[in-house]
Amino acid sequence: MPLKALALNCTLKPGRGAQSSTDAMIAVLAEAFSQYDVTVSETVRVAALDIKPGVTSNEGDGDAWPGLREKILAHDILIFGGPIWMGQISSVAKRVLERMDAFLSETDDEGRMPSYGKVVVAAIVGNEDGAHFSSAQLFQALNDVGWTITAVAACYWVGEAMGSVDFRDLDETPEMVTKTAKMVAGNAAHLAGLLRSSPYPG
């Protein structure tokens, strides 16, 4: 069975039609993943959903997290995308991480969290420094709640500090971004395949 990836766009823009540089970066990774027979089934605009604050898997009436959680766990690979704001990951991304905290108490008989055996990569964009700090925030939190992180797991682009050009405004994707995306996708596909055939023992 082919590997499947789901992308989360943690932009602050809730409108599904609103242009997002994170979508543009996810598209670069989706193209790279297609070269390894990995299908990116969907990009979810998280800000368009009513993800309640909290640290459980269901925070009650109207909470959209249970549905998104189910969708995330039905895939082999998660593309965790988002912009840099104030030098760090967005508040929307942090909300997703906080809800995944529930994985810590949802282990199976072998002590494995629901995310065990699933691979995560990052897609980060911004017009200021902070890509390394944002990926560090993401990867530490995601590793704590059971996700597997590959070698070279982040694809990012940052524009000039205080600048006005966004990633989506570029005439073409920079060569290094394309090269990195291919490496991220190849490593993630390889590791996800290995984990599917040989899960962690717990």
Side-chain angles (χ1 to χ4, degrees), residues 59-122:
E59 289 292 334
D61 249 9
D63 185 15
W65 176 252
L68 180 55
R69 176 190 181 278
E70 182 179 359
K71 192 175 288 189
I72 290 168
L73 294 176
H75 290 75
D76 305 288
I77 298 168
L78 178 65
I79 301 171
F80 203 124
I84 300 166
W85 284 110
M86 297 182 173
Q88 56 190 307
I89 60 173
S90 72
S91 57
V92 176
K94 290 178 182 178
R95 175 67 53 88
V96 172
L97 296 175
E98 288 163 354
R99 296 305 301 271
M100 287 184 182
D101 186 76
F103 291 174
L104 293 166
S105 60
E106 296 173 349
T107 56
D108 65 12
D109 291 341
E110 304 300 326
R112 294 171 295 203
M113 289 177 264
S115 48
Y116 261 44
K118 298 184 183 296
V119 170
V120 64
V121 299

Side-chain angles (χ1 to χ4, degrees), residues 17-156:
Q19 287 191 329
S20 163
S21 285
T22 304
D23 274 335
M25 180 61 81
I26 288 170
V28 172
L29 274 169
E31 170 60 28
F33 271 115
S34 72
Q35 298 172 41
Y36 296 95
D37 297 321
V38 177
T39 301
V40 179
S41 63
E42 182 184 356
T43 296
V44 177
R45 183 73 67 101
V46 179
L49 304 176
D50 187 8
I51 306 296
K52 304 289 187 187
V55 291
T56 73
S57 284
N58 192 331
E59 289 292 334
D61 249 9
D63 185 15
W65 176 252
L68 180 55
R69 176 190 181 278
E70 182 179 359
K71 192 175 288 189
I72 290 168
L73 294 176
H75 290 75
D76 305 288
I77 298 168
L78 178 65
I79 301 171
F80 203 124
I84 300 166
W85 284 110
M86 297 182 173
Q88 56 190 307
I89 60 173
S90 72
S91 57
V92 176
K94 290 178 182 178
R95 175 67 53 88
V96 172
L97 296 175
E98 288 163 354
R99 296 305 301 271
M100 287 184 182
D101 186 76
F103 291 174
L104 293 166
S105 60
E106 296 173 349
T107 56
D108 65 12
D109 291 341
E110 304 300 326
R112 294 171 295 203
M113 289 177 264
S115 48
Y116 261 44
K118 298 184 183 296
V119 170
V120 64
V121 299
I124 298 171
V125 291
N127 285 324
E128 57 187 276
D129 194 14
H132 283 173
F133 180 58
S134 293
S135 60
Q137 287 179 295
L138 282 174
F139 291 150
Q140 180 59 60
L142 290 163
N143 185 255
D144 281 349
V145 294
W147 291 89
T148 296
I149 299 150
T150 68
V152 189
C155 190
Y156 67 87

